[in-house]
Amino acid sequence: MLSLRRLLFAAWLYLSMPICAIGLSPALLMPHRPAMGVIKIWAHVVLFGLRWIMGVTVEVRGLENRPNGAALIAPKHQSMLDIVVPFTVLRDPCFVLKKELMIVPFIGWFAWKTKMIPVDRGAHAKALKDMVRSARDRLAEGRQILIFPEGTRQLPGAAPDYKPGVAAIYRDLDGPCWPVATNAGEHWPAKGIGFTPGVVVVEYLPPLPAGLKRAEFMARLQEAVETASDRLSGRAGS
């Protein structure tokens, strides 16, 4: 029975993308807000299916810490769900994402229209400079920049591997940074369709203040995100 539910939800997930993208494609010819609205509709569709097909509920905690205007947000990344949930709770999220995603049908269309920040990970120093410049422009528009500090999905409990991109944006922004913890990987795996019923918690943590030195910022960010994520996964003290 669980295998059937997994297959049904996978179908729900992957069919929802073209249905929403094609059915609501006129938004691509409109201003930014309608296109962002399409992504938000899709995110709610995914969470609806996740709950009623797969038996996974999503609880967002720490909303009192959630930024509304221009902000830098650094979430833990364990599954695709970490990309979906922000569209249901943030006003105007803007993800830093792999450049390759910009040419993917449906995803790339709306990523381009909503001015997400593509990064060519093979360009190294140039990629970092381009990312910071784009982030500065999006922040000037009052958007919430989301960058996964580890760059890619990690298994719950895996050794952290934080990259310099988040520190570069933090230094350039000269503002606070909001860490976000999660246990999403316990119920939505990094790869495959091994979804398991349960409660996913996404927790917005108190922001780190502006002006920290790079080493201190990275250490405090990692400590905040990893400690809270381990707690949510029941791994605290392990």
Side-chain angles (χ1 to χ4, degrees), residues 2-198:
L2 181 58
S3 296
L4 177 60
R5 291 164 66 189
R6 286 170 171 167
L7 289 171
L8 286 173
F9 176 67
W12 177 277
L13 172 65
Y14 292 111
L15 287 175
S16 69
M17 295 181 192
I19 289 173
C20 288
I22 295 174
L24 300 173
S25 59
L28 293 169
L29 303 176
M30 299 178 186
H32 169 86
R33 190 174 298 276
M36 179 60 69
V38 170
I39 302 177
K40 291 187 174 190
I41 290 171
W42 170 76
H44 283 286
V45 167
V46 171
L47 295 190
F48 179 85
L50 186 63
R51 179 171 183 176
W52 296 108
I53 299 173
M54 202 56 249
V56 178
T57 58
V58 176
E59 177 185 346
V60 182
R61 299 177 185 172
L63 287 176
E64 68 277 8
N65 297 318
R66 170 187 50 176
N68 185 49
L72 173 63
I73 302 175
K76 182 67 178 175
H77 193 20
Q78 295 180 345
S79 80
M80 182 178 173
L81 189 57
D82 307 317
I83 299 171
V84 176
V85 173
F87 290 108
T88 69
V89 296
L90 295 176
R91 184 180 58 81
D92 196 4
C94 176
F95 279 91
V96 176
L97 46 74
K98 294 183 294 185
K99 184 179 179 181
E100 294 86 348
L101 291 175
M102 299 299 286
I103 62 173
V104 176
F106 316 125
I107 294 174
W109 300 350
F110 283 90
W112 169 79
K113 181 63 180 182
T114 55
K115 295 190 287 187
M116 301 298 171
I117 301 174
V119 174
D120 181 358
R121 294 192 293 188
H124 304 298
K126 181 180 184 301
L128 196 61
K129 291 179 181 178
D130 290 345
M131 179 190 67
V132 170
R133 183 168 55 250
S134 295
R136 189 184 308 135
D137 292 340
R138 300 292 83 79
L139 288 165
E141 296 168 357
R143 300 185 65 182
Q144 297 86 52
I145 306 295
L146 293 101
I147 178 170
F148 296 119
E150 294 172 282
T152 190
R153 289 168 285 189
Q154 302 289 334
L155 296 174
D161 182 21
Y162 283 48
K163 302 295 194 296
V166 63
I169 298 178
Y170 170 78
R171 180 184 59 201
D172 190 78
L173 169 62
D174 194 25
C177 175
W178 281 260
V180 181
T182 190
N183 67 339
E186 302 288 349
H187 302 285
W188 184 322
K191 296 180 180 180
I193 61 170
F195 314 105
T196 56

